[in-house]
Amino acid sequence: VILATSNLLTVLSISAMRKEYDEQHAAVAALMNLATEPGAIVPLTNTKNVVATLVHTAHSPDSSSEVRKMACDALATIGLWLQTLAGAGTVPDDVPDAVLPTHKATGWLRWE
């Protein structure tokens, strides 16, 4: 995605942190729209402060409820894209098997 450049994402992050409603709204809306594009996921997650800005905006009492919802939607969309990409990955044949976490609780006395 040509629009998802590091410079543009940095400017959008700065604008999303400002207190002016229209500027913050436009910046978060742009980030949310970019999050729906699979080709923009890597630049979004690699550009410094983009994800942190969305998290901050989503939880900030200074942001309007509409802006908070858009920031949450953008974060959820990024998370879904990352989950999809991780699930579609394959391990090359020459890589040794590694034990993955099972996410199962084994009890609090498991070391005894």
Side-chain angles (χ1 to χ4, degrees), residues 90-100:
T90 58
V91 179
D93 293 331
D94 58 341
V95 174
D97 291 336
V99 179
L100 297 175

Side-chain angles (χ1 to χ4, degrees), residues 50-75:
V50 171
V51 174
T53 296
L54 288 171
V55 170
H56 174 78
T57 306
H59 294 284
S60 174
D62 295 331
S63 301
S64 70
S65 62
E66 185 178 0
V67 170
R68 287 195 305 265
K69 286 178 190 175
M70 284 192 299
C72 286
D73 285 347
L75 289 167

Side-chain angles (χ1 to χ4, degrees), residues 4 6 18-20 30 43 55-56 63 65 72 77 84 86-88 91 109:
S6 180
R18 295 207 173 125
K19 304 284 187 206
E20 185 186 332
V55 170
H56 174 78
S63 301
S65 62
C72 286
T77 304
T84 301
V91 179
L109 296 174

Side-chain angles (χ1 to χ4, degrees), residues 21-88:
Y21 171 77
D22 289 336
E23 184 176 5
Q24 186 181 48
H25 185 273
V28 174
L31 289 171
M32 185 182 77
N33 286 335
L34 286 171
T36 62
E37 178 61 42
I41 295 306
V42 172
L44 278 169
T45 55
N46 282 347
T47 302
K48 186 177 180 181
N49 294 333
V50 171
V51 174
T53 296
L54 288 171
V55 170
H56 174 78
T57 306
H59 294 284
S60 174
D62 295 331
S63 301
S64 70
S65 62
E66 185 178 0
V67 170
R68 287 195 305 265
K69 286 178 190 175
M70 284 192 299
C72 286
D73 285 347
L75 289 167
T77 304
I78 290 169
L80 288 172
W81 280 121
L82 291 173
Q83 185 178 14
T84 301
L85 292 171

